């Protein structure tokens, strides 16, 4: 037995069995999967493996899990691997299947929690890639509160065409560009062929890279691990290092709730604002905080946004991808700049066993001079963060706007009302949307969808048609991390429960003003109340199965769309 294993608190199932002990049968079962006499005193480590070939984001996770598993074994633990699911947001985008995406976060969390509780695991390594693997795993870690570490499967490398870096969003935007006659058919085909050249999660600061960056900032994954390319040897090495780190966490009895403090969540939010991360981070961090028993709300995001400049020039609203950020210093560079500015809590614990400040002690305090991926703190892209919380008579509980990369962050225009994503997409592609319109897509919320689909197809089509700065879009659904433009999502209460977004009529004047944090329909309170009294909820679209179950349980987006 290793020195580490001899020090850890043993699994209650792993103590020495005596003659006639009732635990002998489960030891017999464990022998069948490789346990020897000397292994029963070692910590039993769950390796939750999200590998699948459903999506390039997860196609390399099996190798990561193997690297972590081997390192755990050498370090003195007994790794036990099991699989968990994934849904590819990119492949399901714009289809009915996208309704299962957010649902999968809960399925992943429930499955990891169920196995680890059922098998009395001593520790947990979760290996994930696509968007919902990550918050799903973190929710499970917070619920279980056993020593845990997250291993990110890594980012995809960019595709290339005509001197430009490509990502999956390039393909979505090419649909609108081709339809508008702005690019030739052959260009459209080449973008589609080249956008995703290999394994790894979507390459910009989209949801997967946003969440990996947040988890590193929050102390739940190793420094530098969140921006490594999936296909690089460095990624496998980081997974192995994570396995070794977990044994130290067990030895020191350092658990997720020791790490996931309110300050840790504030660190994660600060980094997200600095790098221009996904709107989905708001939803997922609220859900993780709920599981961890941390009082986090939408006002915390707005409070931090006002203080933190956006100084990393990353897609979708910037030029670069995650591998470029890694090349110039990764998330530790961003964190060190925030720490020096007094915008990061340096005393938070991390999975290294050290504090944030200790981890960052040798990291450069300023970005390299020969690059413009990370800008000087005093010369940011924007002086404040990009994820604004809007309220008003259209969103009494709040909504989330992404305001980076825009010429203007306010407009007033006529409502163009659609009862689903498909209806809106049909109108956009048929050129029925004009500059100055404010698109309303409703009944796509957590309960009304059900499942709160992402609206990357319509937002990308708007961008592709050259309307990104002149058309607004408001929805009780979500957006992809690849979305940008004058868009507001997570509107709460949602239409399905009678939120004001359900009461908007075609042609109503809508004001979307991110400067004033305002989202409103410009009618009187009396008219709004009259419409409310006449409104009736439509039936839930699914009456059985996982989506029906989800619709019955899910909370408001303003609470993280949690099901417990």
């Amino acid at each position: 037995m290793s020195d580490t294993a001899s020090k850890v608190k043993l699994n209650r199932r792993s103590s020495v069995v005596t003659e006639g002990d009732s635990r002998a049968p489960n030891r017999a079962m464990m022998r069948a999967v490789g346990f020897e006499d000397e292994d029963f005193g070692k910590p039993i480590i769950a390796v939750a493996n999200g590998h699948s070939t459903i999506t390039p984001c997860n196609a390399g996770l099996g190798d990561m899990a193997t690297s972590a598993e081997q390192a755990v074994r050498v370090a003195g633990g007994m790794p036990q691997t099991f699989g968990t699911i994934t849904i590819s947001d990119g492949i399901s985008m714009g289809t009915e299947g996208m309704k299962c995406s957010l649902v999968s976060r809960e399925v992943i969390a429930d499955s990891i929690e169920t196995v680890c509780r059922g098998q009395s695991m001593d520790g947990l390594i979760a290996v994930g890639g696509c968007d919902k693997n990550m918050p799903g795993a973190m929710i499970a870690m917070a619920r279980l509160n056993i020593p845990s570490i997250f291993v990110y499967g890594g980012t995809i490398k960019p595709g290339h065409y005509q001197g430009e870096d490509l990502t999956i969003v390039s393909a979505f935007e090419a649909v609108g560009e081709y339809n508008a006659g702005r690019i030739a058919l052959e260009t459209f085909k080449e973008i589609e062929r080249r956008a995703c050249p290999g394994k790894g999660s979507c390459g910009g600061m989209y949801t997967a890279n946003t969440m990996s960056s947040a988890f590193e900032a929050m102390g739940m994954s190793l420094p530098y691990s969140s921006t490594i390319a999936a296909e690089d040897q460095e990624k496998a090495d980081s997974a192995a290092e994570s396995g070794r780190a977990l044994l130290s966490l067990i030895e020191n009895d350092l658990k997720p709730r020791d790490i996931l403090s309110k300050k840790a969540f504030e660190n994660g939010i600060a980094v997200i604002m600095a790098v221009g991360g996904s709107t989905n981070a708001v939803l997922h961090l609220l859900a993780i905080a709920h599981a961890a028993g941390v009082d986090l709300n939408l006002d915390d995001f707005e409070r931090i946004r006002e203080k933190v400049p956006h100084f990393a020039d990353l897609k979708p609203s910037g030029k670069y991808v995650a591998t470029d950020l890694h090349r110039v210093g990764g998330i530790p560079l961003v964190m060190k700049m925030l720490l020096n500015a007094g915008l990061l809590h340096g005393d938070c614990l991390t999975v290294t066993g050290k504090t944030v400040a200790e981890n960052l002690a040798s990291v450069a305090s300023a970005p390299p001079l020969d690059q413009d991926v990370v800008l000087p703190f005093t010369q940011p892209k924007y002086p404040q963060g990009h994820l604004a919380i809007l309220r008003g008579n259209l969103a009494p509980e709040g909504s989330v706007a992404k305001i980076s990369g825009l010429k203007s962050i306010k407009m007033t225009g006529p409502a163009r009302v659609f009862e689903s994503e498909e209806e809106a997409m049909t109108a956009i592609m048929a050129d029925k949307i004009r500059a100055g319109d404010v698109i309303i897509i409703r009944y796509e919320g957590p309960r009304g969808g059900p499942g709160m689909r992402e609206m990357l197809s319509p937002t990308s089509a708007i961008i592709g048609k050259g309307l990104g700065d002149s058309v607004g879009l408001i929805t009780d659904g979500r957006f992809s991390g690849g979305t940008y433009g004058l868009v507001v999502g997570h509107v709460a209460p949602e239409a399905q429960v009678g939120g004001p977004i359900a009461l908007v009529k075609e042609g109503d004047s809508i004001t979307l003003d991110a400067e004033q944090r305002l989202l409103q329909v410009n009618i009187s309170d009396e008219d709004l109340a009259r419409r409310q009294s006449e409104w009736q909820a439509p039936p839930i679209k699914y009456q059985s199965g996982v989506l029906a179950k989800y619709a019955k349980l899910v909370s408001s987006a303003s609470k993280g769309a949690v099901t417990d």
Side-chain angles (χ1 to χ4, degrees):
M1 186 187 305
S2 75
D3 184 56
T4 296
S6 68
K7 295 178 183 177
V8 300
K9 181 180 179 181
L10 296 179
N11 184 297
R12 61 181 172 81
R13 191 187 46 201
S14 304
S15 57
V16 175
V17 67
T18 58
E19 185 176 354
D21 194 309
S22 63
R23 286 165 292 186
N26 64 38
R27 289 164 61 92
M29 294 284 287
M30 293 161 76
R31 291 184 190 278
V33 293
F35 277 69
E36 303 289 347
D37 287 348
E38 64 271 17
D39 297 326
F40 288 106
K42 299 176 181 179
I44 300 176
I45 307 302
V47 181
N49 181 6
H51 175 83
S52 76
T53 57
I54 287 173
T55 169
C57 311
N58 287 44
L61 298 190
D63 293 339
M64 300 301 105
T66 298
S67 294
E69 179 183 3
Q70 291 173 346
V72 165
R73 196 178 302 276
V74 170
M78 285 302 289
Q80 301 289 281
T81 302
F82 63 92
T84 186
I85 68 161
T86 196
I87 298 293
S88 172
D89 290 7
I91 295 173
S92 64
M93 195 73 68
T95 74
E96 191 80 359
M98 187 64 196
K99 293 181 177 182
C100 293
S101 170
L102 189 58
V103 176
S104 76
R105 185 189 74 181
E106 309 308 301
V107 176
I108 292 162
D110 291 350
S111 67
I112 294 174
E113 180 191 6
T114 301
V115 172
C116 290
R117 286 197 192 281
Q119 301 302 120
S120 304
M121 295 295 188
D122 294 309
L124 166 63
I125 298 176
V127 186
C130 203
D131 296 1
K132 308 311 175 297
N133 303 167
M134 310 172 75
M138 198 65 66
I139 289 168
M141 290 175 181
R143 291 177 185 169
L144 289 161
N145 204 33
I146 59 175
S148 303
I149 192 166
F150 184 79
V151 175
Y152 180 39
T155 183
I156 197 171
K157 294 179 180 180
H160 302 282
Y161 183 61
Q162 294 183 341
E164 298 289 331
D165 282 351
L166 301 178
T167 69
I168 184 60
V169 175
S170 307
F172 278 96
E173 291 178 359
V175 173
E177 291 179 301
Y178 174 66
N179 184 263
R182 299 173 67 197
I183 59 173
L185 177 60
E186 189 56 32
T187 299
F188 173 77
K189 289 181 177 179
E190 286 301 317
I191 291 171
E192 181 268 318
R193 290 179 182 126
R194 299 167 185 256
C196 297
K199 297 174 183 176
S201 296
C202 300
M205 193 48 68
Y206 309 148
T207 301
N209 285 328
T210 297
M211 297 314 300
S212 69
S213 299
F215 294 171
E216 181 178 329
M218 293 161 68
M220 287 300 295
S221 57
L222 293 179
Y224 296 100
S225 65
S226 63
T227 52
I228 304 172
E231 295 181 324
D232 286 355
Q233 180 60 40
E234 185 183 7
K235 186 74 256 183
D237 294 342
S238 179
E241 186 181 353
S242 299
R244 292 187 288 272
L246 181 61
L247 270 293
S248 295
L249 291 174
I250 295 172
E251 179 182 348
N252 294 299
D253 198 28
L254 185 58
K255 303 183 182 74
R257 292 195 185 191
D258 300 322
I259 295 171
L260 293 173
S261 64
K262 178 70 174 281
K263 286 183 176 180
F265 280 93
E266 291 179 342
N267 284 350
I269 295 168
V271 166
I272 289 165
M273 295 297 178
V275 300
S278 167
T279 53
N280 283 311
V282 178
L283 195 75
H284 297 325
L285 290 183
L286 289 171
I288 297 164
H290 172 79
V294 171
D295 181 18
L296 188 73
N297 58 58
L298 289 174
D299 291 336
D300 292 313
F301 288 85
E302 182 60 27
R303 171 175 55 83
I304 295 168
R305 185 198 72 78
E306 291 177 347
K307 298 178 182 178
V308 176
H310 175 181
F311 54 82
D313 191 14
L314 301 169
K315 291 178 181 292
S317 57
K319 292 187 292 186
Y320 295 104
V321 295
T323 51
D324 295 314
L325 175 59
H326 191 70
R327 171 175 51 83
V328 301
I331 292 302
L333 171 61
V334 173
M335 293 177 68
K336 186 63 171 283
M337 293 168 67
L338 292 170
L339 182 67
N340 286 350
L343 296 172
L344 210 67
H345 302 291
D347 58 342
C348 291
L349 286 172
T350 75
V351 291
T352 66
K354 300 177 182 179
T355 65
V356 166
E358 288 170 336
N359 286 343
L360 298 176
S362 62
V363 175
S365 297
L369 296 177
D370 59 346
Q371 56 82 50
D372 59 352
V373 182
V374 177
L375 304 174
F377 189 86
T378 55
Q379 300 172 32
K381 280 176 66 68
Y382 307 101
Q384 294 180 316
H386 64 300
L387 298 181
I389 305 303
L390 276 55
R391 300 181 189 271
N393 68 0
L394 258 184
E397 291 181 11
S399 61
V400 183
K402 192 173 188 179
I403 58 176
S404 55
L406 300 174
K407 295 177 181 177
S408 174
I409 57 174
K410 61 181 180 180
M411 70 177 295
T412 295
R416 302 297 310 280
V417 180
F418 302 97
E419 310 300 328
S420 70
E421 178 186 1
E422 287 86 354
E423 285 187 14
M425 189 66 179
T426 297
I428 294 166
M429 297 302 285
D431 294 323
K432 294 182 178 179
I433 301 300
R434 299 285 184 263
D437 286 346
V438 180
I439 298 170
I440 305 286
I441 304 178
R442 62 192 181 192
Y443 295 101
E444 290 284 6
R447 186 171 298 180
M452 205 178 179
R453 285 192 289 184
E454 293 179 351
M455 303 294 148
L456 181 59
S457 293
T459 58
S460 295
I462 289 168
I463 295 292
K465 285 181 174 289
L467 297 171
D469 289 311
S470 59
V471 169
L473 191 151
I474 299 169
T475 181
D476 53 7
R478 296 183 294 130
F479 295 115
S480 162
T483 290
Y484 64 102
L486 196 57
V487 298
V488 183
H490 307 202
V491 171
E494 63 173 290
Q496 185 66 40
V497 301
I501 192 172
L503 311 178
V504 177
K505 294 183 178 180
E506 182 82 7
D508 280 348
S509 172
I510 303 293
T511 293
L512 189 172
D513 188 342
E515 290 181 359
Q516 300 298 318
R517 316 291 176 266
L518 180 65
L519 189 66
Q520 70 179 24
V521 54
N522 298 310
I523 62 174
S524 68
D525 293 344
E526 292 76 17
D527 282 346
L528 201 60
R530 177 180 52 78
R531 292 183 188 183
Q532 183 74 70
S533 68
E534 296 170 352
W535 176 83
Q536 290 187 333
I540 297 294
K541 299 180 180 72
Y542 291 79
Q543 296 300 311
S544 63
V546 67
L547 289 172
K549 184 191 306 182
Y550 182 83
K552 290 177 183 177
L553 295 173
V554 71
S555 74
S556 168
S558 66
K559 304 294 185 184
V562 298
T563 55
D564 61 339

